[in-house]
Amino acid sequence: MRKQTAMLVVLLMVAAAAFGSGQVETTEAQTYKIRVATEPSKPDMTALLAEKFAEIVEEESDGTVTVELFLGGVLGSQKALQEQVKLGTIETVVTASDIVEMDRTFGIFDFPFLFRGRDNVYTLLDGDLGETLNNSLIESQGVRVLAFGELGFRQITNNVRPIVSPSDLNGVRLRVPSNRLRLEAFQALGASPTPVAWSELYQAMSQNVVDGQENPLSAIMGASFYEVQEYLSLSNHVYTPSYLITNEEWWQSLPSNVQDVISRSARMAVEWQRDYGRGQDDELVGRLEDEGMRVNEIDHAAFIELAKPVWDRFSSEVGPELIEIVLESN
């Protein structure tokens, strides 16, 4: 009996020593699950970004990080999803124009005719402008931008007339997202802007509640707006990023190595999405023409002259320093 007791003590001492030296390993590695949601469905660019991010992060993490996707508004509208990520009831959302409801600084992307081209925008988003916006969102809402993707440059469609000069917008009931800056900007350009939820927009146009809308080509094609819209005017009036955002408190709870793989995966997903968006635009114009839309260019110089007073009027909304960052890069 004494020998058995002594042997048990020895075994316990060996086990304790091994545990203290770190030689004992857990049988199951820690895993992390991310829920990612969007309001639109594929092929909308926000849904494509969410799907690509899920694919890359699971591959890059060797399964340590898994993603559960909720596309097509199954968890709510864009505003509801933004509120959920702010509260931490969902980890990650891909959003776009509605982010202004969270932080007015992002209204910089509602300034008409301010941005000159994709390369210009990418440099700004990956540099000082993107850093400033991210810091503002963290401080004001407790939400972090993991990466800046894109919806692209927005174009105008309607059923009244081709939009070539600003006067062509007069009286056109144009659906815009429900943020004040976009509303007032289009009022300044002569339109009659009307907020309509994305999910209700197709029906609103088919029933002539509104005459038209403004969105990137990918959204126009993806939502089959060519079925209820006659004119497509290539205005490039604003550039709309998409934003892969996450709850900051949840983010800070992650180990640094997990943060690294998520950040790297987000950047890779955005790089893929930007290349995809750039390649799609020319193709989409042709496809929309094939679907019966009448396509025209606009008089950019005339619109820019009307837009400049709008920049001055609303610069305090986002901070004059942000306007300077953009203008200096043009």
Side-chain angles (χ1 to χ4, degrees):
M1 184 68 177
R2 289 179 180 176
K3 289 182 178 180
Q4 291 176 339
T5 301
M7 181 63 70
L8 179 60
V9 169
V10 170
L11 290 173
L12 288 172
M13 290 175 66
V14 170
F19 182 81
S21 66
Q23 294 176 11
V24 175
E25 297 180 358
T26 58
T27 57
E28 185 176 351
Q30 176 69 53
T31 59
Y32 302 87
K33 183 172 76 172
I34 308 174
R35 291 163 295 179
V36 181
T38 68
E39 180 181 10
S41 304
K42 293 168 56 181
D44 186 89
M45 292 287 276
T46 57
L48 291 174
L49 177 56
E51 184 178 69
K52 179 59 67 170
F53 170 67
E55 172 190 324
I56 293 175
V57 76
E58 290 185 349
E59 180 179 337
E60 289 292 307
S61 69
D62 293 324
T64 300
V65 180
T66 61
V67 178
E68 189 173 3
L69 286 172
F70 298 92
L71 307 181
V74 295
L75 295 185
S77 68
Q78 204 66 65
K79 287 185 179 180
L81 293 176
Q82 290 178 173
E83 186 64 20
Q84 289 178 62
V85 82
K86 177 181 175 180
L87 295 173
T89 55
I90 188 170
E91 291 79 25
T92 305
V93 164
V94 184
T95 188
S97 294
D98 286 329
I99 200 169
V100 178
E101 301 293 325
M102 302 184 77
D103 188 328
R104 291 166 69 181
T105 307
F106 286 75
I108 187 72
F109 293 105
D110 291 312
F111 280 55
F113 301 98
L114 181 61
F115 294 93
R116 294 292 184 263
R118 272 190 166 90
D119 290 336
N120 171 240
V121 176
Y122 297 161
T123 299
L124 288 163
L125 287 175
D126 296 338
D128 291 344
L129 180 62
E131 183 178 1
T132 300
L133 292 170
N134 186 35
N135 289 339
S136 179
L137 192 63
I138 292 171
E139 292 173 7
S140 66
Q141 301 294 321
V143 174
R144 169 180 294 267
V145 181
L146 290 174
F148 294 89
E150 76 168 23
L151 286 188
F153 280 97
R154 301 174 84 95
Q155 320 297 343
I156 298 171
T157 70
N158 82 103
N159 282 326
V160 179
R161 64 181 75 91
I163 307 302
V164 178
S165 65
S167 63
D168 294 322
L169 277 176
N170 290 342
V172 176
R173 296 167 299 168
L174 200 69
R175 179 269 179 184
V176 298
S178 58
N179 69 68
R180 188 173 65 85
L181 202 156
R182 187 80 63 85
L183 280 164
E184 297 195 24
F186 268 101
Q187 285 175 345
L189 294 174
S192 299
T194 305
V196 176
W198 170 260
S199 59
E200 301 169 5
L201 178 53
Y202 183 98
Q203 184 176 11
M205 292 188 295
S206 67
Q207 296 177 351
N208 296 318
V209 175
V210 293
D211 301 312
Q213 59 83 53
E214 45 87 49
N215 260 296
L217 294 170
S218 59
I220 294 167
M221 174 59 77
S224 301
F225 288 163
Y226 53 82
E227 296 175 347
V228 292
Q229 295 279 271
E230 182 175 358
Y231 302 105
L232 167 61
S233 301
L234 300 177
S235 53
N236 287 342
H237 55 278
V238 297
Y239 176 88
T240 300
S242 56
Y243 309 92
L244 187 58
I245 60 175
T246 194
N247 178 272
E248 178 69 4
E249 184 175 354
W250 173 79
W251 176 255
Q252 294 299 337
S253 74
L254 298 174
S256 59
N257 63 314
V258 176
Q259 290 180 348
D260 290 344
V261 73
I262 293 173
S263 292
R264 182 171 69 252
S265 300
R267 290 194 301 271
M268 292 169 67
V270 159
E271 289 171 5
W272 172 87
Q273 190 212 33
R274 289 176 178 178
D275 287 342
Y276 177 83
R278 186 193 295 270
Q280 281 284 289
D281 273 5
D282 289 341
E283 177 187 337
L284 287 171
V285 170
R287 289 173 61 189
L288 289 166
E289 284 183 309
D290 291 342
E291 294 291 350
M293 296 196 80
R294 298 167 63 179
V295 180
N296 68 275
E297 300 286 343
I298 72 161
D299 182 352
H300 280 93
F303 276 96
I304 290 172
E305 285 306 306
L306 275 184
K308 287 179 179 178
V310 178
W311 305 346
D312 295 336
R313 179 180 173 188
F314 291 106
S315 63
S316 61
E317 297 275 333
V318 302
E321 66 281 1
L322 290 189
I323 305 294
E324 288 303 315
I325 289 174
V326 177
L327 292 178
E328 290 174 2
S329 72
N330 287 341

